[in-house]
Amino acid sequence: MTKAKIIGTGSCLPPKVVTNDDLAKLVETSDAWIRERTGILERRVSDAATATSDLALAATEKALKAAKTDPAEIELVIVCTTTPDMLFPSVGCILQDKLKMVNAAAFDLSAACSGFNFGLSTAASFIETGKCKKALLVGADTLTKYLDWTDRGTCILFGDGAGAVILGSAEKEEGVLASLIMSEGHLGSVLTMPGGGSRDPEQKNGRFIRMNGREVFKFAVRVLESSVRKVLEMAGKAPSDIDLLVPHQANIRIIDHVSKKMGLPKEKVYVNLQKYGNTSAASVPIALDEALAEGRIKSGDLIVLSGFGAGLTYGANLIKW
Ligand code: ACO
């Protein structure tokens, strides 16, 4: 059966850097606390004039160039985001228009920090079933626009960014070998952005992220390990076969805990959260793009991408590069 294969990547981060010391001027926190409890040293914050589609566009242009792909060849555009420019049109349609991807169906996918893994599973299915030959998949978010800068439990964690990949088809046993996506809606209340939807269009409940950090932490540790193990099992592989794990970049303690339990040495786990914090749906494709640029991935390597987030949701994809 045809497999879906990543043939180009790109990413974009807004230029403004906000350090932990900058945040210590806003809330009762310190650089030492944030480093120790999260591993984050700084994050990027977009300015008022920059919307999610602006970052997505810059990341997509780089990915198209890397994949040597003309926009007209793209038949499917999926933008994974929970911070679209507006309720509609979708960021996918905005990108389609700006890049003249005239032969594509375009839509947004909402699975928060799991978005890219949900999107990869979806886009891969389109390619595997022959519904399209080339797809654009973007993870892009500007969560800093929805942070309560007086809440030290959330404002220290997040940053903005976008990552994009172009998917093509592979005839041999390579590309996305196995894919797992799952939701646990009964845990939805531990991570919410209640204002602004149809239940509260006037945002009487506020327009900010609300999170029970400890509960999200427990969930993340559980599902990160189980989903990586499951996706490996689906392809008859073991943790020792992994060449690089690219996990959602939320908290170094979550990543270290799971890596240790799975017997993965540090050099087999990609981490860049110290520079960007949690960029939500963008975190995995940005990490993938940087891992490639740093030469951490070579042809034939077995890569696992994984994510977890609001919903609550989680997902993992096993890729032979
Ligand atoms: N600076 C200083 N002290 C703080 C801060 C801060 N920024 N934040 C919390 N504290 C305090 C708390 O008030 C608490 O004090 P107390 O003991 O006097 O009550 C103490 O530190 C410990 O608080 P915890 O919440 O237990 O701290 P924890 O070690 O769990 O770290 C954190 C908090 C970093 C939020 C952690 O729970 C975490 O990373 N959770 C997962 C978050 C996550 O991954 N979210 C993903 C979102 S994905 C998406 O879809 C958007």
Side-chain angles (χ1 to χ4, degrees), residues 11-12 46-61 77 79-86 89-99 101 108 136 138-143 145-146 160-164:
S11 61
C12 172
S46 51
D47 60 24
T50 303
T52 296
S53 72
D54 299 317
L55 302 177
L57 176 65
T60 299
E61 284 171 334
V77 177
V79 178
C80 311
T81 185
T82 42
T83 52
D85 296 23
M86 57 192 87
S90 65
V91 178
C93 286
I94 294 169
L95 276 190
Q96 174 184 33
D97 176 44
K98 288 197 171 154
L99 288 168
M101 293 181 282
D108 289 0
L136 163 66
V138 184
D141 268 308
T142 49
L143 275 181
K145 293 174 189 283
Y146 301 91
D160 300 334

Side-chain angles (χ1 to χ4, degrees), residues 29 33 37 112-113 152 156 191 211 213-214 216 250-251 253 309-310:
T29 191
W33 193 96
R37 306 307 289 171
C113 303
R152 68 181 182 173
I156 59 154
L191 182 51
M211 181 178 73
R214 279 180 212 185
V216 178
N251 186 318
R253 289 188 295 137

Side-chain angles (χ1 to χ4, degrees), residues 205-221:
N205 294 314
R207 47 176 294 275
F208 303 123
I209 296 173
R210 296 287 168 218
M211 181 178 73
N212 180 333
R214 279 180 212 185
E215 289 306 315
V216 178
F217 195 100
K218 280 193 264 173
F219 168 79
V221 165

Side-chain angles (χ1 to χ4, degrees), residues 192-321:
T192 64
M193 206 191 304
S198 58
R199 195 163 293 287
D200 181 19
E202 287 163 21
Q203 301 185 324
K204 290 186 184 127
N205 294 314
R207 47 176 294 275
F208 303 123
I209 296 173
R210 296 287 168 218
M211 181 178 73
N212 180 333
R214 279 180 212 185
E215 289 306 315
V216 178
F217 195 100
K218 280 193 264 173
F219 168 79
V221 165
R222 169 168 64 85
V223 301
L224 180 54
E225 181 180 357
S226 68
S227 61
V228 172
R229 284 191 190 278
K230 251 183 229 162
V231 88
L232 286 165
E233 268 169 35
M234 285 161 78
K237 305 284 183 192
S240 55
D241 294 322
I242 296 179
D243 291 299
L244 193 68
L245 172 65
V246 183
H248 172 45
Q249 307 286 311
N251 186 318
I252 193 65
R253 289 188 295 137
I254 295 171
I255 295 174
D256 283 350
H257 180 86
V258 171
S259 312
K260 207 170 155 195
K261 276 193 82 182
M262 298 190 69
L264 293 172
K266 278 201 178 341
E267 60 274 15
K268 289 194 167 188
V269 182
Y270 193 77
V271 174
N272 66 358
L273 61 82
Q274 68 282 0
K275 296 188 286 183
Y276 309 132
N278 178 347
T279 55
S280 196
S283 100
V284 172
I286 293 171
L288 182 64
D289 187 45
E290 294 201 343
L292 279 164
E294 290 165 20
R296 297 275 300 268
I297 299 174
K298 52 185 193 314
S299 180
D301 276 359
L302 206 58
I303 312 296
V304 180
L305 311 182
S306 78
F308 54 85
L312 296 177
T313 53
Y314 63 95
N317 283 277
L318 177 70
I319 298 174
K320 186 166 181 206
W321 204 264

